[in-house]
């Protein structure tokens, strides 16, 4: 009986060994190919001369037998890309085995030589995987740009910056000094870097070529969350002097946003968003903003303290902050001495509309604004749209609609006197710029506009890549989609 059981046990062992030998054999099927987690590995934006962050993809063996990759190498031998296959660094790899239904990782970074001209250069290379006489390929791609590296420093003389800059530490513009930023200039700030303005900054961006201040990270962090919307990547900008002027300027991904601690600053068609604290804070200073967007912060989007003075027209103050509970208001007025006058603007999103010690004692007015809170008009709140989502406003169905079609959208018998457009509006016409300038209007009389049949209005929200009339299927939050749809609307003085 014992011998019988031993025989059965030996047979089972032999079968298991035989089975293992069969599984361990390499497939020689010419149609057997590895599969990849990506077709193209995009390394994003890369600064010439600097090593990129590490990116990775997986190589899968979906077959029932071992897969032997006889050779892995860059087809063009590009020296800029650096590889690590299954934990081994090198330029070329031979006889890499993947067990059945298993996978390996390939890690890639790069260090590119100078581009040699303004703008970005797309650098692609083909990474080949040769198996059983066939070849499969993953494309490696990066956008390379030449940057001027700026260490921690003090600017003691007037300067003009144009192009791309990689700011590695705290940069101070000394008192009496002006830093001019030409159209299209981008400042990429490293972790904890900042811009401290004791003199003045003049940023001359345009709708086509804005001035941008942002963090130096690209790609995604967790899952598919892009670093483009992640706050806290660099410290922020502090203004303490007079004479600063920002036009078509984007400031994003900061810890403390824009802090104005003295003097005054004017802002036209700017976007300031995604801050870990406030988006813009004003203390004992003055800010004038037209056609601007201030969005996304947990501790108060716009904060006023001391003898702060704020004037806003055709602006959006919004909050759909994703990374922490929202504890502050859209408007945080921390002192009775503040002066706050907001006209033709949208104030909407997570958190209270306003926190203030005593609205009746301060110099505060909101006129012709849409807000997401309940309330009623009085001497402080004048001709308001209360507790209404922005998408409830009438909006044209086309991206650009001529004023000639306005009567069809809005009957002439309804007196439409003011254009409520918190995002910048561009007015284009066949007539001369002198007759119809393209600067953002502060208030538009519909009767006067209807006379010009050739004029078209176009409003847009560049911060969220939405254009009025386009589908809102682009991945983004519902609140942002609503703000995009609300960026063109007409306000009836009779409502």
């Amino acid at each position: 009986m014992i011998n019988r059981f031993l025989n059965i046990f030996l047979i089972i062992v032999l079968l298991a060994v035989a089975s293992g030998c069969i599984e361990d054999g390499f497939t020689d099927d010419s149609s057997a190919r590895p599969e990849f987690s990506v077709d193209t590995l995009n390394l994003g934006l890369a600064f010439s001369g600097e090593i990129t962050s590490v990116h990775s993809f997986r190589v899968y063996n979906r077959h029932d037998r071992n897969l032997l990759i006889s050779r892995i190498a860059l087809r063009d031998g590009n020296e800029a890309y650096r590889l690590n296959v299954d934990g081994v660094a090198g330029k070329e790899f031979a006889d890499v085995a993947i067990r059945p239904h298993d996978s390996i990782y390939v890690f890639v970074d790069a260090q590119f030589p100078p581009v040699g001209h303004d703008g970005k250069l797309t650098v692609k290379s083909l990474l080949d995987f040769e198996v059983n006489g066939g070849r499969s390929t993953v494309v490696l791609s990066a956008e390379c740009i030449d940057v001027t590296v700026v260490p921690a420093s003090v600017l003691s003389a007037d300067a003009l910056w144009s192009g791309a800059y990689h700011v590695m530490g705290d940069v101070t513009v000394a008192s009496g000094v002006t830093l001019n930023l030409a159209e299209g200039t981008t400042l990429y700030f490293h972790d904890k870097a900042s811009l401290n303005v004791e003199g003045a900054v003049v940023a001359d961006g345009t709708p086509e070529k804005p001035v941008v201040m942002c963090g130096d990270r690209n790609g995604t962090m967790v899952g598919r969350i892009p670093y483009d919307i992640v706050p806290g990547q660099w410290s922020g900008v502090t203004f303490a002097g007079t004479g600063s002027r920002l036009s078509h300027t984007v400031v994003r991904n900061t810890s403390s946003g824009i802090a104005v601690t003295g003097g005054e600053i004017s802002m036209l068609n700017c976007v300031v968003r995604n801050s870990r604290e406030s988006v813009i804070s004003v203390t004992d200073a003055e800010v004038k903003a037209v056609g601007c967007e201030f969005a996304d912060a947990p501790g108060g989007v716009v904060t006023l303290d001391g003898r702060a003075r704020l004037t806003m027209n055709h602006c959006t103050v919004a909050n759909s902050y994703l990374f922490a509970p929202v504890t502050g208001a859209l408007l945080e007025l921390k002192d009775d001495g503040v002066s706050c006058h907001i006209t033709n603007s949208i104030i909407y999103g997570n958190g209270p509309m306003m926190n203030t010690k005593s609205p009746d004692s301060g110099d505060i007015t909101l006129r012709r604004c849409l807000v997401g809170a309940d309330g009623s008009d009085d001497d402080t709140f004048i001709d308001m749209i209360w507790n209404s989502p922005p998408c409830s406003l009438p909006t044209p169905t086309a991206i650009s609609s001529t004023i000639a079609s306005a009567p069809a959208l809005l009957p002439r018998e309804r007196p439409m006197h003011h254009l409520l457009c918190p995002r910048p509006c561009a007015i284009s016409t066949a007539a001369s710029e002198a007759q119809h300038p393209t600067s953002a209007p502060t208030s538009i009389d519909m009767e006067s506009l209807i006379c010009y049949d050739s004029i078209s209005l176009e409003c847009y929200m560049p911060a969220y890549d939405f254009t009025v009339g386009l589908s809102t299927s682009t991945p983004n939050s519902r609140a942002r989609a609503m703000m995009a749809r609300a960026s063109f609307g007409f306000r009836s003085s009779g409502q």
Side-chain angles (χ1 to χ4, degrees), residues 15 26 40 47 67 69 74 112 116 123 197 207 267 272 288 296 301 347 351 356 393 401 407 419 424 443 460 468 489:
L15 288 174
F26 291 100
T40 299
F47 304 140
L67 188 68
I69 304 176
L74 291 166
F112 296 101
V123 181
V197 185
M267 305 175 69
V272 188
K288 296 179 180 178
D296 298 342
V301 177
I347 304 168
T356 180
L393 293 172
S401 63
L419 174 68
S443 184
Y460 50 93
V468 176

Side-chain angles (χ1 to χ4, degrees), residues 26-213:
F26 291 100
T27 179
D28 56 4
D29 186 350
S30 61
S31 65
R33 292 288 183 272
E35 295 183 11
F36 307 100
S37 58
V38 297
D39 295 321
T40 299
L41 183 67
N42 189 355
L43 275 65
L45 184 64
F47 304 140
S48 62
E50 300 183 22
I51 299 175
T52 69
S53 57
V54 177
H55 298 253
S56 66
F57 64 94
R58 295 177 73 178
V59 185
Y60 297 95
N61 176 11
R62 305 293 192 189
H63 307 285
D64 294 329
R65 301 180 68 186
N66 284 337
L67 188 68
L68 183 65
I69 304 176
S70 58
R71 182 174 181 266
I72 302 174
L74 291 166
R75 188 179 303 179
D76 57 4
N78 193 324
E79 294 291 331
Y81 288 101
R82 308 190 307 178
L83 307 175
N84 183 302
V85 176
D86 201 24
V88 178
K91 293 292 184 181
E92 185 172 329
F93 306 85
D95 297 333
V96 178
I98 308 178
R99 293 184 63 82
H101 306 288
D102 203 350
S103 65
I104 62 172
Y105 276 95
V106 175
F107 299 93
V108 182
D109 66 11
Q111 185 176 19
F112 296 101
V115 174
H117 59 76
D118 292 339
K120 301 173 183 177
L121 175 67
T122 300
V123 181
K124 291 186 177 181
S125 192
L126 304 180
L127 182 59
D128 292 328
F129 296 75
E130 297 178 3
V131 179
N132 296 330
R135 184 170 66 187
S136 301
T137 302
V138 171
V139 178
L140 308 181
S141 180
E143 284 191 317
C144 186
I145 187 173
D146 289 341
V147 296
T148 300
V149 177
V150 182
S153 55
V154 176
L155 301 183
S156 56
D158 291 353
L160 172 62
W161 287 7
S162 178
Y165 293 79
H166 195 187
V167 182
M168 302 302 294
D170 297 330
V171 173
T172 298
V173 180
S175 178
V177 173
T178 298
L179 172 61
N180 295 277
L181 303 177
E183 63 178 31
T185 297
T186 300
L187 309 184
Y188 298 98
F189 288 84
H190 195 56
D191 183 35
K192 296 181 177 60
S194 66
L195 179 61
N196 305 304
V197 185
E198 297 173 1
V201 166
V202 177
D204 290 320
T206 66
E208 296 78 17
K209 296 181 178 180
V211 171
V212 178
M213 304 181 195

